[in-house]
Amino acid sequence: MTLIQLEYVIAVDNYRHFGKAAEACFVTQPTLSMQVHKLEEQLGILLFDRSKSPVSPTDIGKRIIEQARVILAESKKIQQIVDEEKGEMAGELRIGIIPTLSPYLLPLFINNFIEKYPKIKIKVEELITEQVVSKLKHELLDIGIIVTPYEDTNLVTKPVFYEEFYAYVNYRSPFYKEEKLSINNIPANEIWLLNEGHCFRDQVLSLCHTYKDRDSQFKYESGSLEALKKIVDKHGGMTLLPELATLDFDKAAKAKLRPFEDPKPVREVSLVMHKSYLKRKLVEALHKEILDSIPDYINVQKHGAVIKWK
């Protein structure tokens, strides 16, 4: 049994396809298939049911693969310990970031980070929270940038900052005349939402307890905050936005923003890693770069009412 064989087995489990697994491991499919088959013969069991599409692990295969992940993760710690001791900042960094942060936070820090650490190759994926967590657990990502709290004993969380919620209100809305809004007074059918799967949607729903589907001719949900903003501009009503999404607003857009009364609703933005991830200096470097990039008025200490979403 070799570490290479375990790596191939884990890749097949991740991609549920021998060809895609081979591509991810930078080997030919026959090479990967041969090594997986060799390991199965050695163990005297079938790890995968190849008659299914996509390929799926057998019951005993699931247990073996789970242990293989532990073994491979532990083996990688040796090199990570050496790199940490040498203070080297090199290699690949795979980041997953949620869509309600990606277009607003990523441009603030990524260029400076790349310039400071030229030996780090960075790959960023925009994913919803559950996808980020799944890929962290399968070691397809190194770090996630998500909204927390997120309870999972396999993950380590490092809060970065806390951004407030704002209402973005059409000028025809009666709430446009208000300086501050109370979340309890917003009519259930006033708010345009992101579609299901977005944690920001769930946070808005946890704030607006009386929300119900619109009873109207036009119903719309989107995966984009920018799309919801345009719907408010053209159609009416309001939507809720996180603070970073408002940084580039022009004067006309800022005039439609309304803060909430105290305690202000806020969301906690954090770096999350699998508990086995050892590159702590890299995490600290990323944490510092994000902190240095965000405006001073965005709070890095917990304040207001942190809104949970699950």
Side-chain angles (χ1 to χ4, degrees), residues 43-87:
L43 297 174
I45 60 166
L46 282 178
L47 294 171
F48 297 101
D49 184 347
R50 293 160 172 80
S51 67
K52 293 183 178 179
S53 182
V55 172
S56 61
T58 60
D59 289 340
I60 185 64
K62 291 177 184 177
R63 295 173 60 190
I64 298 297
I65 292 165
E66 183 178 347
Q67 187 60 36
R69 291 186 186 280
V70 174
I71 294 169
L72 208 59
E74 291 296 317
S75 71
K76 290 178 180 178
K77 287 183 180 180
I78 295 173
Q79 187 60 52
Q80 290 176 357
I81 290 169
V82 173
D83 291 342
E84 285 278 301
E85 183 65 23
K86 290 179 178 179

Side-chain angles (χ1 to χ4, degrees), residues 161-163 243-244 247 294-301 303:
F161 63 90
Y162 298 81
E163 58 176 338
E243 195 168 4
L244 279 185
L247 295 187
I294 61 175
D296 292 338
Y297 57 82
I298 292 183
N299 212 313
V300 298
Q301 302 295 326
H303 69 293

Side-chain angles (χ1 to χ4, degrees), residues 4 39 44 55 66 94 123 131 137 168 198 217 226 236 241 252 292 296 303:
I4 289 294
L39 179 58
V55 172
E66 183 178 347
R94 301 164 298 175
K123 179 181 179 182
Q131 292 171 326
K137 289 181 177 179
Y168 183 76
H198 292 271
Q217 183 182 3
E226 297 302 314
L241 298 173
D292 289 346
D296 292 338
H303 69 293

Side-chain angles (χ1 to χ4, degrees), residues 1 9 38 54 71 85 94 113 122 128 131 168 182 199 202 207 230 238 270 284 290 297 302:
M1 186 186 303
V9 165
K38 186 176 179 180
I71 294 169
E85 183 65 23
R94 301 164 298 175
F113 190 81
I122 301 173
I128 62 173
Q131 292 171 326
Y168 183 76
S182 168
C199 59
D202 294 335
L207 278 172
K230 289 181 180 180
M238 70 171 69
S270 300
E284 290 297 333
I290 294 174
Y297 57 82
K302 188 177 290 188

Side-chain angles (χ1 to χ4, degrees), residues 19 37 93 105 131 144 169 176 179 236 246 275:
H37 181 65
L93 179 62
L105 178 60
Q131 292 171 326
V169 186
Y176 185 79
E179 290 187 5
T246 70
K275 62 183 180 181

Side-chain angles (χ1 to χ4, degrees), residues 129-130 132-138 146 148-157 272-275 309-310:
T129 303
E130 297 299 345
V132 171
V133 170
S134 176
K135 288 203 168 192
L136 285 172
K137 289 181 177 179
H138 286 85
I146 67 172
T148 52
Y150 189 99
E151 301 298 329
D152 192 310
T153 56
N154 291 308
L155 301 180
V156 176
T157 301
V272 292
M273 295 93 12
H274 193 273
K275 62 183 180 181
W309 63 275
K310 72 187 293 285

